[in-house]
Amino acid sequence: MTLKLGVIGTGAIGQEHIRRCSHVLQGAQVVAVSDINVEGARAALQRLNIEAEVFENGHDVIQSPNVDAVLVTSWDPTHEEFTLAAIAAGKPVFCEKPLAMSAEGCRRVVDAEIQAGKRLVQVGFMRPYDAGYRALKKVITDGDIGEPLMLHCAHRNPTVPENYTTPMAITNTLIHELDVLRWLTNDDYKTVQVVFPRVTSKSHSQLKDPQIVLFETQKGVRIDVEIFVNCAYGYDIQCEVVGEEGIARLPEPSSVQLRKEARLSNTILVDWKDRFIEAYDVELQAFINDIKAGQLTGPSAWDGFAASVAADACIKAQNSGAIEPVEMPPRPAFYN
Ligand code: NAD
Ligand code: NAI
Ligand code: ISE
């Protein structure tokens, strides 16, 4: 049986996901799309050579009897509304990160899903599907470096648009680390502080860039994450775990080493689309397969909520300058 997908939001990642679901992955077909820019949606389908119905409103995609499952790839503030509507329609939904703009919003999704009595939500946290992060986690869980003591991480984008603001460094960018570092260390955040270095001249008045986010975890591990979204030189994700017996580093994406004109060099990627291309393929194939098998197993609404609890504390810390607590309620049995 081919799973019929509806995609809400045909921007950068919406088009990427439509492309992979149509031309790369097995078992699904995109049959409906919507975007507030309807002409943009039509043009995207034409470019990708895909025939699908174009709706003016995301809710019509969700309600369409032709649609079995929904991908939410529209702007961050729309995610909660569309995910709640998909749950109400009883349809599985893959929602790009963040699940909602605050922990309160994520909690509404969690409560609706529990009420529905069945897992219907997968959040687009793709890093746990990345081969490099999986290899790093194996080193840690195999005990190869002993107990982790410190993590040094960086999340760098070459540039961001003018509408990207200081809190978005947390809700739109750091949210990936907020998810993957919990998974990687099997730990939870206890406190957070945000420190602002000198601002790069490449930023604008609404964005303090870069930022350094400092965590203490429940197990006493210290984590520093540099977020630098106008770093200019490339798309660069770093993660180094310092343990009692050694240090493990996230592998660099492979590239040919070049000796030329008295220089030794490697290429650095510039786009998240390329850096995590395989992880996106794997996460969405898992979503498709899991729906057919009758049970979603990927990053859950609870994982989306957990990341947003930490994100709320980070935003508080951005504003207060103080060390703020991260208060995570116990996980409901539904998500065990
Ligand atoms: P984008 O601005 O290119 O695309 C967003 C699209 O959503 C636009 O075409 C916009 O017109 C449309 N849209 C906005 N409101 C809508 C509505 N109510 N109904 C239908 N369409 C609507 O942005 P993007 O880079 O594609 O990001 C989209 C989402 O994907 C964001 O939430 C972002 O956080 C997420 N994202 C995730 C990753 C990842 O690595 N997992 C990477 C990029 C983006
Ligand atoms: P696992 O079950 O071996 O270990 C993950 C542990 O991390 C669990 O105890 C879980 O509760 C915990 N965790 C803490 N924070 C988390 C967070 N924010 N997100 C997810 N888990 C968190 O898990 P595994 O097999 O390594 O997979 C981890 C994630 O990646 C899951 O979401 C899984 O569905 C997904 N995945 C699954 C693949 C598969 O082939 N089944 C492939 C790649 C990823
Ligand atoms: C974007 O939405 C993503 O999710 C990328 O992975 C991230 O690096 C970038 O900062 C976000 O804007």
Side-chain angles (χ1 to χ4, degrees), residues 19-234:
R19 177 193 60 76
R20 61 172 43 87
C21 289
S22 307
H23 301 316
V24 182
L25 309 183
Q26 304 292 315
Q29 182 192 358
V30 175
V31 298
V33 305
S34 79
D35 198 295
I36 45 161
N37 174 359
V38 182
E39 281 320 305
R42 283 190 217 287
L45 290 179
Q46 203 171 17
R47 260 196 314 279
L48 292 163
N49 196 19
I50 287 157
E51 278 184 37
E53 195 170 354
V54 179
F55 288 94
E56 300 236 337
N57 189 308
H59 290 283
D60 296 335
V61 171
I62 295 166
Q63 297 307 325
S64 167
N66 199 28
V67 167
D68 301 321
V70 179
L71 309 190
V72 179
T73 51
S74 45
W75 295 328
D76 295 5
T78 64
H79 291 182
E80 178 190 342
E81 175 190 336
F82 290 132
T83 301
L84 285 172
I87 294 170
K91 297 189 181 181
V93 51
F94 175 93
C95 178
E96 267 304 336
K97 35 60 59 177
L99 178 57
M101 295 307 289
S102 65
E104 205 186 340
C106 293
R107 187 79 214 204
R108 285 190 281 272
V109 175
V110 162
D111 290 344
E113 190 178 44
I114 292 175
Q115 190 74 35
K118 181 175 187 241
R119 269 204 59 189
L120 289 167
V121 179
Q122 177 173 329
V123 181
F125 290 133
M126 74 294 180
R127 291 194 191 178
Y129 293 96
D130 172 69
Y133 272 108
R134 295 186 74 75
L136 183 58
K137 183 170 169 81
K138 185 168 185 313
V139 165
I140 298 169
T141 48
D142 286 354
D144 293 349
I145 57 166
E147 288 296 324
L149 307 174
M150 295 178 276
L151 273 70
H152 306 298
C153 310
H155 190 151
R156 304 194 187 109
N157 293 194
T159 182
V160 287
E162 284 282 311
N163 61 2
Y164 184 109
T165 57
T166 299
M168 284 173 71
I170 306 298
T171 57
N172 187 261
T173 296
L174 182 76
I175 199 88
H176 284 296
E177 274 77 15
L178 294 177
D179 176 67
V180 80
L181 299 181
R182 281 179 71 236
W183 168 79
L184 189 67
T185 58
N186 200 19
D187 202 350
D188 262 312
Y189 309 109
K190 188 174 164 195
T191 65
V192 64
Q193 182 183 15
V194 179
V195 176
F196 294 101
R198 182 179 174 187
V199 176
T200 170
S201 63
K202 296 184 190 307
S203 194
H204 57 84
S205 63
Q206 300 305 307
L207 173 60
K208 287 189 193 166
D209 183 42
Q211 305 180 22
I212 300 170
V213 187
L214 304 166
F215 298 98
E216 182 183 2
T217 73
Q218 294 292 347
K219 292 180 188 166
V221 175
R222 291 288 182 163
I223 303 177
D224 54 89
V225 186
E226 170 201 312
I227 315 164
F228 189 9
V229 292
N230 289 288
C231 82
Y233 72 86

Side-chain angles (χ1 to χ4, degrees), residues 310-332:
D312 283 0
C314 291
I315 290 171
K316 207 168 169 200
Q318 280 182 329
N319 294 319
S320 70
I323 298 173
E324 298 289 351
V326 182
E327 275 153 342
M328 185 64 195
R331 181 195 296 254

